[in-house]
Amino acid sequence: MLPAFPPEHRLHISAFDSAFDNQPKGRGTTLGAFVRALTTFPVIAAARKLDLPAWSPARFPAGTERNSRNVIEVSALVFDHDEGEPDASLAGWAGCVAVVHSTWSHTERAPRFRVIVPLAKPIPATCWRAAWALAGARASGADPACKDPARLYFRPARPFIGSAHF
């Protein structure tokens, strides 16, 4: 069994105000704070999912836009699942630190969720394609669009009090 990362393990992510914000705001965070952010579901009054706050596991040079060509490195693997069972999706990551959470579109009848695997060391952009090929093979049923190193993901949130989430 691999040792767990300590909660003070550092990651670099980029924050965005919404899907329309193309200016990465680099943030250093601890694994503990990252996990808390991924497992907290505020109710956000948004007209649509695209208006939600978002993040990316990629680091970008200061002053550049969110674009695959601008990625320096990636600090976590992220997989979106539009079907399947969360526990089954974690099977490929046994022995790894991983977080699974429902997404904005999740319902009891149509599970939608995300699996995030923080990395011990960031993957340089020059190695991303090979790393994704290896990781993607362990993430059966994940959306292949997640292979984009600059992809953004919406922060966990609920559209209304009482909406299904995990």
Side-chain angles (χ1 to χ4, degrees), residues 8-165:
E8 61 274 5
H9 175 73
R10 302 287 303 170
L11 299 167
H12 185 93
I13 64 167
S14 297
F16 301 88
D17 295 333
S18 71
F20 306 104
D21 177 9
N22 209 21
Q23 301 299 308
K25 295 161 210 59
R27 306 270 191 269
T29 187
T30 64
L31 178 61
F34 186 60
V35 169
R36 278 189 300 281
L38 294 174
T39 56
T40 303
F41 290 82
V43 173
I44 297 179
R48 56 197 169 160
K49 177 172 74 171
L50 297 176
D51 295 325
L52 294 172
W55 68 281
S56 171
R59 181 192 304 248
F60 301 88
T64 62
E65 292 185 343
R66 184 181 67 85
N67 184 299
S68 298
R69 294 183 311 272
N70 293 334
V71 172
I72 296 171
E73 62 189 16
V74 180
S75 63
L77 301 166
V78 184
F79 305 98
D80 281 343
H81 292 267
D82 288 337
E83 57 186 36
E85 292 298 322
D87 288 343
S89 71
L90 288 172
W93 301 104
C96 297
V97 173
V99 175
V100 61
H101 70 77
S102 57
T103 64
W104 179 264
S105 305
H106 169 77
T107 66
E108 295 291 337
R109 288 185 147 163
R112 306 280 191 264
F113 59 95
R114 182 168 296 132
V115 175
I116 301 102
V117 181
L119 299 169
K121 293 183 180 177
I123 298 171
T126 55
C127 301
W128 179 250
R129 183 170 282 167
W132 175 259
L134 291 171
R138 293 175 77 170
S140 178
D143 184 344
C146 296
K147 69 183 174 189
D148 177 359
R151 185 172 174 88
L152 65 75
Y153 303 92
F154 297 106
R155 296 258 333 251
R158 297 181 292 156
F160 54 89
I161 294 173
S163 58
H165 69 285

